[in-house]
Amino acid sequence: MTTLVIEERIVKSRNRVRAYGEVFTPRHMVDQMLDLVSDDLEEGPEFVDKTFLEPAAGDGNFLVAILHRKLRAIERRLSPSVWADESLFALASIYGIELLEDNHEDARAAMLAEFVAFHARHGAPQSPDTDLMRAASFLVDTNILRGNTLTGRDWRGEEIQFSWWTRDAHSPGMVVREPFSLASLRESHGFDFTVYETYAVCRIDHIHEEVRAGA
């Protein structure tokens, strides 16, 4: 009998290692590291909303593993009636920044594929035209950005900006979008004087409509 051993790729090329210090973390090491924060990911109170930022996302191995664990915990701990909304809130809690274009595209695709696979296992429609999948795609595009964490700039040279996706305490399934800059997370005084767009409270599965406050 022949045993096939598949080794994970940890580098794409020596040139990329020299130019960018690019080395990928093997999945077993990712899992070991995430085991250290399993309470936040899977067991603790409000585990769905605990936020994670991967400042060097690569092709998304950490991001996908975090999402996988959150979705698995949702499946185990919550009623199926809320899986759709809660899976979107889980997706909204995960942020990433990646410098290289091909890695950035791979990371976004992997995150969306993990989300789709979760709902496919339970027979939910996976058409990209559904509100669920449009909202998921929007969250991935908004939360997983191409840029340089060290400079705080995206690939266009503009300041990296994210959004908090905060639940409306009085209306289940409703979300408040609050933009913020990456730089504001680094400031010891905590003030951010940037003027941002403001958004109306809406259902989590309608965030792709981007309704501005007062519209």
Side-chain angles (χ1 to χ4, degrees):
M1 181 176 68
T2 301
T3 300
L4 177 63
V5 178
I6 301 176
E7 295 185 358
E8 289 186 80
R9 179 181 58 179
I10 62 172
V11 299
K12 286 188 175 180
S13 75
R14 293 181 180 179
N15 289 337
R16 289 168 71 114
V17 175
R18 286 194 294 267
Y20 304 108
E22 179 187 73
V23 178
F24 296 92
T25 307
R27 181 57 185 260
H28 73 276
M29 292 183 64
V30 171
D31 287 333
Q32 289 173 5
M33 294 171 73
L34 294 182
D35 284 343
L36 299 175
V37 292
S38 60
D39 281 350
D40 286 329
L41 273 173
E42 303 168 74
E43 303 299 336
E46 301 179 346
F47 71 96
V48 175
D49 299 319
K50 292 295 179 66
T51 57
F52 292 82
L53 168 63
E54 171 55 88
D59 57 4
N61 53 354
F62 269 100
L63 301 176
V64 171
I66 291 168
L67 179 61
H68 177 80
R69 289 186 179 219
K70 286 200 175 202
L71 294 177
R72 183 177 63 184
I74 287 171
E75 187 177 41
R76 185 175 68 249
R77 297 179 55 186
L78 303 180
S79 166
S81 64
V82 300
W83 285 356
D85 284 355
E86 294 302 314
S87 66
L88 288 172
F89 278 111
L91 200 58
S93 73
I94 302 170
Y95 302 83
I97 303 170
E98 170 52 33
L99 178 64
L100 301 180
E101 182 177 8
D102 58 340
N103 286 343
H104 176 241
E105 292 177 356
D106 289 345
R108 291 193 305 169
M111 286 290 281
L112 197 55
E114 181 70 27
F115 185 89
V116 170
F118 170 76
H119 288 285
R121 288 198 305 273
H122 302 292
Q126 294 97 55
S127 167
D129 295 328
T130 63
D131 283 331
L132 177 66
M133 294 305 164
R134 291 175 69 189
S137 181
F138 181 83
L139 280 171
V140 169
D141 289 345
T142 306
N143 280 18
I144 313 302
L145 302 182
R146 181 182 163 208
N148 187 326
T149 301
L150 295 178
T151 65
R153 300 285 171 176
D154 66 17
W155 65 279
R156 300 181 183 88
E158 299 175 356
E159 184 178 52
I160 291 175
Q161 293 186 3
F162 289 113
S163 289
W164 298 118
W165 308 96
T166 307
R167 295 176 190 259
D168 185 317
H170 306 291
S171 303
M174 302 294 283
V175 66
V176 180
R177 180 180 181 180
E178 301 175 285
F180 68 95
S181 68
L182 176 65
S184 70
L185 299 180
R186 297 168 167 165
E187 298 295 335
S188 59
H189 50 65
F191 294 112
D192 183 356
F193 296 104
T194 307
V195 177
Y196 299 104
E197 292 275 9
T198 55
Y199 296 87
V201 178
C202 70
R203 282 195 48 78
I204 185 70
D205 59 354
H206 283 237
I207 54 173
H208 52 282
E209 297 175 358
E210 286 196 296
V211 179
R212 302 296 197 274

